[in-house]
Every structure is written in structure tokens, then in C-alpha cells.
Amino acid sequence: PPDWSGLKKVVAPGAFVVPTQVNYVAAGGSLYAPGEFPTGADSVVKRFLSLDYLWNRVRVQGGAYGGSCQFNPVSGTFVFSSYRDPNLEDTLTAYSEAAAWMKALDVEPAELTKAVVAAIGDLDGPSTPDQKGSKSLRHFLDGTTDEARQKHRDEVLAATPADFRRFADRLAALKTTPAVFASAAAVEAANAKGANLAVTKLL
């Protein structure tokens, strides 16, 4: 895999203030250090986290239009995000509590199967010709071989509850940097609760 250790780390300001009635709340960081190797099972856990915890906590309970997480197995970065979210600080709190929720989780076989199917769907979903070309270019640029892709697929299919516990340990140690687009009032309210978001006013 590529060596990312020489890249300059860019830390985004905490909050971009814009005229909006809803917020877009993200927080992420490096789940894997350079030289460490993620497994395909991480894609299964990521899918489960989006389909269960974030769906219920951020969307159903919090009222956001959407909530999910993304994991890049090449760079090792992991990001939580919400879309058209009426909350800010509460959503950041939900992100910070995800690891504890996962550590206490007892994954049922049916739920594990659903997450595996979802992760395989991400790999095998229909693609237009331009999407196929984009994927091929990305694999070429990041050095992903056919053998590596097959290994990833095999690890997705072999995911177990132990992979969830391992991922939870990494998630608990993750140091996230928040980056949000929100109104001035929402940022002010979040900072009053201790969010400590640096502010950049865009509009």
C-alpha cells in the first residue's frame, strides 16, 4: 500500500458559520496509523454502525435527515457525519459515545448477516461505465491489486462479533477533529455547552 506518512496533516477549523437552519456535522481522524493494515471486516462494522447506532441516535432520535460514517481502508481515516441536522453538540456527543455503545453490543447472527450483505453490496453495486473507470483509476493510483481486493472480500464474508470488539477498541482510542457547517447561533450554543469549536465565518 502507499506510504502516507510523508503527507502534511491538515486540521480543519471546528466550525464554518453559514446562514442555515440546519447543520452538517462531521468528526473524524486516523483509525489506523501508517504501516497498519485494516481488514475487510472493518467495512462490515462500519456498515453496522451506520445502519444501527447512527441511524437511531442521529436520525431517529436526533431528527437529522441523515447520519452515517465512512472508513477509508487505504488512508486509515474514519469519519462520522450528519446531514441537515437540527443538532450540533448532541450529535458530536453521539459520535463520542459510539465506541462505548459498540463495546457493550451483543451482535445477533441476523444483524451480522445484514451488515455483511450491506458491505458486499458496497463492493458489488451496479456501476456506470464512468464509475467503473473511476474505480479502476483509483485502484491503480493507490496500488490496490486484484489479489488485495479478493482478500478484502474474503475478510468481509468472514466477519465475526470479535471484529466488532476489536473495532470498538480502536474507535475508543480515536482522536477526532470536528468540522461543521452551522449557523452562528448553533455554534454559539454548542460552545456554551463546551464544544470548544474554533469559528470561521464564511457568509
Side-chain angles (χ1 to χ4, degrees):
D3 180 6
W4 300 96
S5 60
L7 294 180
K8 181 180 179 181
K9 185 176 181 180
V10 177
V11 179
F16 295 97
V17 173
V18 294
T20 180
Q21 296 181 337
V22 290
N23 310 308
Y24 302 81
V25 185
S30 296
L31 197 65
Y32 283 84
E36 293 184 312
F37 297 95
T39 75
D42 293 333
S43 298
V44 177
V45 182
K46 180 264 295 185
R47 259 311 202 159
F48 187 90
L49 194 59
S50 289
L51 292 170
D52 192 304
Y53 178 77
L54 293 173
W55 174 275
N56 290 315
R57 184 75 182 271
V58 176
R59 180 165 183 168
V60 176
Q61 298 176 22
Y65 188 81
S68 64
C69 58
Q70 297 295 326
F71 174 64
N72 187 320
V74 177
S75 65
T77 54
F78 180 88
V79 180
F80 294 102
S81 63
S82 70
Y83 174 71
R84 296 185 66 182
D85 192 342
N87 303 302
L88 200 169
E89 174 63 16
D90 288 349
T91 298
L92 291 174
T93 298
Y95 297 162
S96 68
E97 294 176 351
W101 173 85
M102 184 166 288
K103 283 187 175 184
L105 186 66
D106 184 14
V107 184
E108 297 291 335
E111 295 298 316
L112 176 59
T113 299
K114 183 169 70 173
V116 169
V117 170
I120 288 294
D122 291 336
L123 298 176
D124 291 345
S127 299
T128 62
D130 63 310
Q131 289 173 329
K132 292 179 180 178
S134 177
K135 289 179 182 178
S136 295
L137 177 60
R138 186 173 69 251
H139 291 154
F140 173 78
L141 293 175
D142 63 29
T144 302
T145 63
D146 289 343
E147 291 76 16
R149 293 170 61 195
Q150 183 61 54
K151 180 175 181 291
H152 178 88
R153 178 185 295 274
D154 293 341
E155 290 169 344
V156 167
L157 294 171
T160 69
D163 292 307
F164 285 70
R165 294 188 289 272
R166 175 184 53 77
F167 194 92
D169 289 337
R170 283 193 175 271
L171 200 58
L174 178 66
K175 296 181 179 179
T176 61
T177 297
V180 308
F181 286 83
S183 66
V187 174
E188 183 178 347
N191 280 341
K193 295 180 180 179
N196 296 319
L197 297 169
V199 179
T200 299
K201 186 174 181 180
L202 297 182
L203 297 172

